[in-house]
Amino acid sequence: MTPGHGVRRPRDLVLTVTPGTATPEWCPACKAFTRLAGDLLLLDPGGVTVVGRYAWCQICDDPRMPKEARRV
């Protein structure tokens, strides 16, 4: 018998992580409805699973205006 002969190999598992629909939310830091948030979805052959959340505020997280480092 040759090596690997008769050995069943598992199929490739395809998983995809994708952002869910973003909805506007209240940003507690800047006190305005400027935050977008949604669920992170894991798509696999068995269905869809929520694996976390994401959030981004157009004021607090603006890359053109980086936050200053906090001093301790």
Side-chain angles (χ1 to χ4, degrees):
M1 185 177 231
T2 59
H5 182 69
V7 176
R8 298 185 75 196
R9 295 181 185 223
R11 297 160 128 190
D12 290 337
L13 179 61
V14 177
L15 300 174
T16 304
V17 176
T18 185
T21 303
T23 56
E25 287 187 358
W26 178 260
C27 178
C30 65
K31 312 262 190 285
F33 278 100
T34 54
R35 181 173 152 168
L36 294 176
D39 293 328
L40 287 175
L41 307 173
L42 176 67
L43 311 176
D44 64 25
V48 178
T49 305
V50 177
V51 292
R53 284 196 52 81
Y54 67 91
W56 176 82
C57 176
Q58 66 186 33
I59 294 174
C60 298
D61 299 324
D62 187 351
R64 296 172 294 174
M65 301 174 94
K67 298 174 186 170
E68 294 182 22
R70 290 179 46 173
R71 295 182 184 197
V72 181

